[in-house]
Short mmCIF file of all heavy atoms in Angstrom, two decimals:
data_model
loop_
_atom_site.label_atom_id
_atom_site.label_comp_id
_atom_site.label_asym_id
_atom_site.label_seq_id
_atom_site.Cartn_x
_atom_site.Cartn_y
_atom_site.Cartn_z
N MET A 1 0.81 -1.21 0.00
CA MET A 1 0.00 0.00 0.00
C MET A 1 0.85 1.26 0.00
O MET A 1 0.53 2.25 -0.64
CB MET A 1 -0.93 0.00 1.23
CG MET A 1 -2.06 -1.01 1.17
SD MET A 1 -3.21 -0.66 -0.16
CE MET A 1 -3.95 0.85 0.47
N GLU A 2 1.95 1.17 0.77
CA GLU A 2 2.83 2.35 0.84
C GLU A 2 3.44 2.65 -0.53
O GLU A 2 3.52 3.81 -0.94
CB GLU A 2 3.93 2.10 1.87
CG GLU A 2 4.82 3.32 2.07
CD GLU A 2 5.86 3.08 3.15
OE1 GLU A 2 5.75 2.08 3.88
OE2 GLU A 2 6.77 3.92 3.24
N MET A 3 3.82 1.57 -1.26
CA MET A 3 4.40 1.76 -2.59
C MET A 3 3.37 2.35 -3.55
O MET A 3 3.68 3.20 -4.37
CB MET A 3 4.91 0.43 -3.13
CG MET A 3 6.12 -0.14 -2.37
SD MET A 3 7.56 0.96 -2.51
CE MET A 3 7.91 0.80 -4.25
N ILE A 4 2.13 1.87 -3.43
CA ILE A 4 1.07 2.39 -4.30
C ILE A 4 0.82 3.87 -4.01
O ILE A 4 0.66 4.69 -4.91
CB ILE A 4 -0.23 1.57 -4.11
CG1 ILE A 4 -0.02 0.14 -4.61
CG2 ILE A 4 -1.39 2.24 -4.84
CD1 ILE A 4 -1.19 -0.79 -4.32
N ALA A 5 0.80 4.21 -2.72
CA ALA A 5 0.59 5.60 -2.33
C ALA A 5 1.71 6.50 -2.87
O ALA A 5 1.46 7.61 -3.36
CB ALA A 5 0.50 5.71 -0.81
N LEU A 6 2.95 6.01 -2.79
CA LEU A 6 4.09 6.79 -3.30
C LEU A 6 3.99 6.97 -4.81
O LEU A 6 4.27 8.04 -5.35
CB LEU A 6 5.40 6.11 -2.93
CG LEU A 6 5.82 6.19 -1.45
CD1 LEU A 6 7.03 5.31 -1.18
CD2 LEU A 6 6.11 7.64 -1.07
N ALA A 7 3.57 5.88 -5.49
CA ALA A 7 3.44 5.96 -6.95
C ALA A 7 2.36 6.96 -7.35
O ALA A 7 2.53 7.76 -8.28
CB ALA A 7 3.12 4.58 -7.52
N LEU A 8 1.22 6.93 -6.62
CA LEU A 8 0.15 7.87 -6.91
C LEU A 8 0.58 9.31 -6.65
O LEU A 8 0.26 10.22 -7.43
CB LEU A 8 -1.08 7.54 -6.07
CG LEU A 8 -1.86 6.28 -6.46
CD1 LEU A 8 -2.93 5.97 -5.44
CD2 LEU A 8 -2.48 6.47 -7.85
N ALA A 9 1.32 9.49 -5.54
CA ALA A 9 1.81 10.83 -5.24
C ALA A 9 2.76 11.32 -6.33
O ALA A 9 2.72 12.49 -6.73
CB ALA A 9 2.52 10.82 -3.88
N GLY A 10 3.60 10.40 -6.83
CA GLY A 10 4.52 10.78 -7.91
C GLY A 10 3.78 11.17 -9.17
O GLY A 10 4.12 12.15 -9.84
N LEU A 11 2.72 10.39 -9.50
CA LEU A 11 1.93 10.72 -10.69
C LEU A 11 1.23 12.05 -10.54
O LEU A 11 1.14 12.84 -11.51
CB LEU A 11 0.91 9.61 -10.94
CG LEU A 11 1.47 8.28 -11.47
CD1 LEU A 11 0.38 7.22 -11.48
CD2 LEU A 11 2.05 8.47 -12.87
#
Side-chain angles (χ1 to χ4, degrees):
M1 289 295 291
E2 184 177 348
M3 293 297 293
I4 294 174
L6 287 172
L8 288 173
L11 287 172

